[in-house]
Amino acid sequence: MAVSKAQQKAVSKYMKNNYDEIKVRVEKGKRNIIKAHADSKGESVNGFIKRAISETMERDNNKPTE
């Protein structure tokens, strides 16, 4: 089923108003490794990266301060 121009515009507007975009650069070949790992966990690459960031931030915030 083809997506209309109006629907494309609506989705674009929604994304612009509700999400920030972060570009991540990785070394050649690393993308495929990340994708394979995400696939093995039943996740998208985006979902895996968001989970990795959230878990790391939570872990960092729970570290005792010296």
Side-chain angles (χ1 to χ4, degrees):
M1 176 186 256
V3 179
S4 70
K5 295 257 187 209
Q7 187 174 11
Q8 288 175 343
K9 187 176 178 181
V11 169
S12 180
K13 181 180 176 183
Y14 175 83
M15 295 295 284
K16 182 180 177 184
N17 290 332
N18 293 285
Y19 292 93
D20 288 326
E21 189 170 328
I22 301 171
K23 187 170 190 172
V24 178
R25 296 179 193 270
V26 296
E27 297 85 8
K28 287 278 186 187
K30 190 88 169 195
R31 179 177 161 225
N32 292 334
I33 294 168
I34 293 168
K35 182 170 178 2
H37 180 80
D39 288 345
S40 76
K41 302 296 180 189
E43 294 179 297
S44 66
V45 171
N46 191 59
F48 167 66
I49 291 170
K50 290 188 328 185
R51 181 173 60 83
I53 290 169
S54 294
E55 288 178 4
T56 301
M57 288 173 63
E58 183 177 330
R59 184 180 63 234
D60 289 350
N61 289 332
N62 289 328
K63 282 185 180 177
T65 56
E66 296 178 34

